[in-house]
Amino acid sequence: MLSFLPKDLETPKLHSYLLSAVAPRPIAFASTVDKDGRPNLSPFSFFNVFSANPPILIFSPARRVRGNTTKHTLENVEVTNEVVINVVNYDIVQQMSLSSTEYPEGVNEFEKAGLTMLKSDIVKPFRVAESPIQMECKVNEIVKLGTEGGAGNLVICEVVKMHINDEVLDENGAIDQVKLDLVSRAGGSFYSRAKSGFFEIPKPLRTLGIGVDALPEHVKNSNILTGNDLGLLANVETLPTEDAILAFKQKHDLSKLNLEEKHKKAQDFLSYNDVESAWKMLLL
């Protein structure tokens, strides 16, 4: 058996062990605004519910191990004391993953991830319209657990209003877990889907994906491609070159395909995580 004292490991190694050992973890898709009202959206898997009366959620935006800096979400809740916690189901998991990209301050992750901002009733941060359950929260307290890289910050939130999509309710008005189809986080690139177990999502590019807002209009407005498809397509740094597209065209007989059929072919490529071929198909 491998045994060690936490202090004897480098923080990234200990972080990796902890995230793989304590899994799967629910995901808080946290929406905030900064002091100027600019939206921010980011997922956190250090998260759970801790009380029903009062209704308390806690999530923890940790200090970055590299550089020991803080995340925009933490900076925003420190100023506004408000947050919306949106749950993540399978239909938006790729867009959620894309939103975790470290975009510069002021960039709207709703737009980058292709998600819809829905005005809240009580708090200033927007809700994620595509999330089946959204919880408007006031921040009661922030508990700082340390000052070094990797230290957590417990954001203790009180739910002041809850929104549940009718489509995830059963005939008795209770939440149907199968209909809800939640996903959770594990170690490395692994996630878990309540219906079918573990699956992998490549980590977002550190060089920044182009984002859903940069996709061609016919792709963004496709009747075929799903939100998850768009999330995969948007997690690229650059698009294929004209030469690469021409070589792809010469290799495949695509002359008779209409736009809808091209989208279906691209979706097939995406089902095998072949994002490059999907892009070549869409750019023909």
Side-chain angles (χ1 to χ4, degrees):
M1 176 175 286
L2 176 64
S3 301
F4 52 83
L5 299 175
K7 66 181 180 63
D8 293 335
L9 293 183
E10 295 289 334
T11 300
K13 187 68 171 178
L14 179 59
H15 181 262
S16 176
Y17 280 146
L18 289 171
L19 266 60
S20 295
V22 184
R25 301 178 305 282
I27 300 170
F29 207 7
S31 169
T32 58
V33 295
D34 67 10
K35 59 182 176 57
D36 298 318
R38 295 178 299 184
N40 180 268
L41 182 64
S42 187
F44 299 91
S45 68
F46 289 179
F47 164 63
N48 220 310
V49 57
F50 290 86
S51 173
N53 187 21
I56 299 294
L57 309 175
I58 300 177
F59 74 101
S60 178
R63 301 181 70 90
R64 296 183 182 91
V65 176
R66 293 196 315 160
N68 192 22
T69 55
T70 55
K71 298 186 177 181
H72 299 142
T73 299
L74 176 62
E75 296 163 5
N76 291 348
V77 296
E78 287 176 330
V79 172
T80 67
N81 291 313
E82 294 182 340
V83 63
V84 176
I85 303 297
N86 307 274
V87 305
V88 177
N89 66 349
Y90 187 76
D91 286 345
I92 62 171
V93 66
Q94 293 285 354
Q95 291 165 283
M96 176 278 300
S97 176
L98 181 62
S99 76
S100 69
T101 300
E102 297 287 353
Y103 289 109
E105 184 178 6
V107 170
N108 187 343
E109 287 86 359
F110 279 91
E111 294 178 354
K112 285 296 179 185
L115 294 166
T116 308
M117 294 190 298
L118 184 62
K119 185 175 174 56
S120 295
D121 293 341
I122 297 176
V123 301
K124 292 183 180 67
F126 294 91
R127 294 178 276 150
V128 175
E130 291 81 1
S131 170
I133 301 176
Q134 311 133 14
M135 292 167 280
E136 301 182 36
C137 301
K138 295 285 188 179
V139 176
N140 290 347
E141 186 179 1
I142 300 174
V143 180
K144 298 181 183 299
L145 302 180
T147 58
E148 299 300 318
N153 298 274
L154 304 184
V155 181
I156 303 173
C157 313
E158 183 168 348
V159 180
V160 294
K161 191 160 189 178
M162 191 170 183
H163 308 268
I164 304 174
N165 190 315
D166 291 343
E167 293 181 359
V168 301
L169 299 177
D170 64 18
E171 63 276 8
N172 299 314
I175 293 173
D176 184 317
Q177 295 293 162
V178 175
K179 291 180 180 178
L180 187 57
D181 198 13
L182 289 178
V183 295
S184 53
R185 195 71 172 89
S189 59
F190 280 93
Y191 289 77
S192 181
R193 185 181 184 185
K195 289 182 178 181
S196 56
F198 286 110
F199 63 98
E200 288 188 85
I201 294 179
K203 290 183 180 298
L205 300 173
R206 285 183 176 173
T207 49
L208 304 186
I210 60 173
V212 172
D213 58 333
L215 302 183
E217 289 299 317
H218 76 91
V219 175
K220 281 193 293 187
N221 299 323
S222 172
N223 292 322
I224 304 299
L225 300 170
T226 67
N228 278 337
D229 293 331
L230 299 184
L232 280 167
L233 291 167
N235 188 35
V236 297
E237 184 181 7
T238 57
L239 299 182
T241 64
E242 290 186 8
D243 287 344
I245 296 170
L246 179 59
F248 180 84
K249 182 178 181 180
Q250 291 173 342
K251 185 178 178 181
H252 300 81
D253 181 15
L254 308 170
S255 58
K256 297 181 180 179
L257 294 183
N258 59 33
L259 187 61
E260 183 175 294
E261 290 169 333
K262 289 179 181 178
H263 284 202
K264 288 180 179 178
K265 288 283 188 181
Q267 190 173 57
D268 288 340
F269 284 121
L270 291 173
S271 70
Y272 295 104
N273 287 319
D274 187 354
V275 179
E276 184 175 357
S277 292
W279 263 120
K280 292 172 183 176
M281 175 66 66
L282 293 169
L283 295 175
L284 287 175

